[in-house]
Amino acid sequence: MPDIIQLLPDHVANQIAAGEVVQRPASVVKELLENAIDAEATVIKLIVKEAGKTLIQVTDNGKGMSSTDARLSFERHATSKIKKADDLFNIHTKGFRGEALASIAAIAHVDLKSKQENQELGTYIKIEGSNIIFQENISTPKGTSIAVKHLFYNIPARRNFLKSNTIETRHIINEFQRVALAHPTISFSLYHNKNEIYHLSSSNLRQRIVAVFGKKTNEKLVPINEVTDIIEINGFVAKPEFAKKKRGEQFFFVNNRFIKNTYLNHAVTSAFESLLSSGYHPSYFLYLTVPPKSIDINIHPTKTEIKFDDEKTLYAILHSTIKHSLGQYNVGPVLDFERSSSLDTPYSFKSKKSNSPKITVNPDFNPFKNEESTKSLHFHSKQTKNNQWESLYTDTNIHNVEVEAETVNASLFSEETKTNKTYQIHKKYIVSSIKSGIVYINQNLAHQRILYEEFLENITVKEATTQQLLFPLEISFIKNDIELIKEIKEDLENIGFKFDKISEDSIIINGIPTGIIESQITTIIEQLLEDIKNDIPNASFSQLDIMAKSLAKSLAIKTGTVLNLKEQEEIVNKLFICKQPDLSPFGKTTFITINIEEIDKIFNN
């Protein structure tokens, strides 16, 4: 038989490798920003158009590259970071595999301009799908500027699987935030469609966190600092009262590299035990410094997962450090058996003798002296009142008043008096009788359907009612959330929200939809933004649908809520006038029916 195994062409191999390294535009952003950091840049600028689908450009003032290095950098496994296998266990740079630029060049148009400080001219290289179109010398500033255009132009299937611009932009901003938080001493700026999203000047760690997440973040932060032989921990955790239902503001950095680790996350969460309400997650920005030989970075293409030599010890140290800091700053309970200096006797009073306090008594005081006069006065007043009270019933025939008494007898369940009553069982289901049998209604899912159709009608058809707040409510958000709120502001106003002001890092609300409690507003809007970020399609109506679903889910009666008879009947009546009462907005069954025949079979009747 003929031989069937053959080597793949380089351009095919590069496209396959690109599938692991470049999953979406945010992957390109991450790789380019990390290359700029490895080049010892102090100022880095990121420009994005159409969520990175049209353009991703990173410009830095780093060391730059020679003409030979610039061309060689696009070859697979070409890197300046490591030279031998042992270097994998002593990595101090972001990149080390030599795959990123080759993978990016295989699926996009790339323009590279780079110049070293001691050179008069720089290098300009243009590449399309791994093919070098031309290379020439040009005049350019010190550093490197790389522009990635038309990402996935030669892989249309991958391009079609990209999400909407809103979602892809969110992923880009997330990657930008992670890199910026890991390197507060470097100046970063981000522009999307010619709009400046971030301009972060060189600062310390606390200032960088505040610059990324807003001015209100400063009051939330509790410092964390611990140095041991195994690990050094620095950073901040947020106070328990600022915990959120979403997990967005949770950052682990190991040797200035962002990582994800559920085991260490559990160490932080357990340190907040009994301080957080159910379903809420603490925010934290933790920087771990460990010996490079004690970790393995080369286990995942995105390098966001790290293997530690001794995770259990790290868990214990991290847990106790956070617990100690929460107690030290009076955030959490703490046992301290040391004597407080505030209870010590001042030095100047130590030689003085204490005197017994003098007690004076008035021997002529008698609380019962005027008892008789008081009694007679009260009695006279009471008598007068009784006379006036009795006069109200003059010429009143009490015996003629008829009282209707309810009697229970055998006719209680007759056809004339029979009504459809509802019952609540296990604080979860509403049971009601119908002509054909019995209906079981899930109170949470049914209320979701009711609220969903009401909100959708308010958004698209009629004007919603608004309740004005006595005092305007100010809520802080990060910049990309503010931009999203501006986009959906009109739809939120149609639901019943009224905005007094929307600034760069906060919104002021002076009116909320009827039926919403003021204390729920922050949670509702945060959940709404999270749902829109994760699920928003391109169609505008679908965005309204997501909003209605999110609000309905947040405000629906929860399982475990006790309902009185009137509330039960209201849910039953409103559910069955909905356009689609049998399903919740998320496609779950709201009720089931059991007819008489099925009940008879159970009892063999």
Side-chain angles (χ1 to χ4, degrees), residues 107-165:
I107 54 175
H109 296 176
V110 179
D111 291 351
L112 172 69
K113 298 178 183 179
S114 185
K115 181 175 105 52
Q116 294 177 325
E117 188 173 11
N118 57 358
Q119 292 179 329
E120 294 183 1
L121 295 175
T123 302
Y124 176 34
I125 298 178
K126 187 176 182 63
I127 300 176
E128 294 181 1
S130 295
N131 297 319
I132 298 179
I133 304 303
F134 64 82
Q135 177 177 351
E136 62 183 12
N137 294 329
I138 62 167
S139 176
T140 184
K142 175 206 168 211
T144 302
S145 174
I146 181 168
V148 178
K149 306 175 183 177
H150 311 300
L151 190 64
F152 299 124
Y153 81 100
N154 54 354
I155 312 179
R158 176 65 67 88
R159 189 177 181 89
N160 292 336
F161 275 105
L162 292 178
K163 303 294 184 181
S164 67
N165 285 353

Side-chain angles (χ1 to χ4, degrees), residues 6-19 76 102-103 106-107 129-131 154-155:
Q6 57 184 349
L7 290 174
L8 290 174
D10 288 342
H11 69 279
V12 177
N14 286 342
Q15 287 187 7
I16 294 173
R76 289 188 66 196
S103 299
I107 54 175
S130 295
N131 297 319
N154 54 354
I155 312 179

